[in-house]
Amino acid sequence: MATSQDRTDHPGERAGDDPIRLLAIRDTPLSLDEVFAAVGDPAAGGTALFVGTVRDHDGGADVDALGYTGHPTAQAELRRVAEKVAADFPVRGLAAVHRVGDLAVGDLAVIVAVSCPHRAEAFAACRRFIDDLKHEVPIWKHQNFSDGTEEWVGAGA
């Protein structure tokens, strides 16, 4: 008869051998289906997704449009952040895609997904991934406001 200790030693309770499945910075529309499929794993009991969309306001001002620009090192930094998350959580699958270029209100700007053996781990890993991505990956946002002003926002801000 198996004990609960035996179950916690199961290989599915640990991180996958190669959990980083998809990392991309693209100038084309993003796909939820692609990212969700990338993190699928039969040992994952929880999958958490974060979807960042372009909203119509920021800081009390109406946003008409915005653009994202990535530094040439952005892809390498995205991988570094992903590797840190995969090392700190029992990640079975991890994926992130971020748009660059001009986006309209309602467009998908970033999608992050993480699958883990359990939901609490998946939520925690996904939150850490998006937070670290936003703070450490050199991708800058240029917002154009309805009143004619503009603003740059970027990694580390």
Side-chain angles (χ1 to χ4, degrees), residues 27-150:
D27 61 0
T28 56
L30 307 182
S31 165
L32 283 165
D33 290 337
E34 176 192 27
V35 175
F36 181 70
V39 299
D41 190 286
T47 300
L49 270 94
F50 172 81
V51 180
T53 56
V54 177
R55 64 182 177 266
D56 66 358
H57 68 282
D58 190 37
D62 292 334
V63 172
D64 287 340
L66 61 79
Y68 284 98
T69 303
H71 188 273
T73 63
Q75 184 76 30
E77 287 300 303
L78 179 58
R79 174 156 291 279
R80 184 186 59 75
V81 168
E83 288 171 350
K84 280 186 357 187
V85 171
D88 290 345
F89 295 90
V91 174
R92 301 298 303 179
L94 181 147
V97 291
H98 200 300
R99 279 284 302 269
V100 292
D102 295 328
L103 282 76
V105 170
D107 283 349
L108 304 183
V110 61
I111 305 170
V112 170
V114 179
S115 63
C116 291
H118 304 280
R119 73 177 175 275
E121 300 158 340
F123 278 126
C126 189
R127 175 155 193 155
R128 168 83 147 315
F129 193 19
I130 188 60
D131 287 350
D132 289 356
L133 185 160
K134 296 298 284 181
H135 287 102
E136 298 178 29
V137 177
I139 297 174
W140 300 281
K141 176 171 59 174
H142 182 228
Q143 300 185 111
N144 295 300
F145 298 105
S146 296
D147 66 4
T149 62
E150 59 185 50

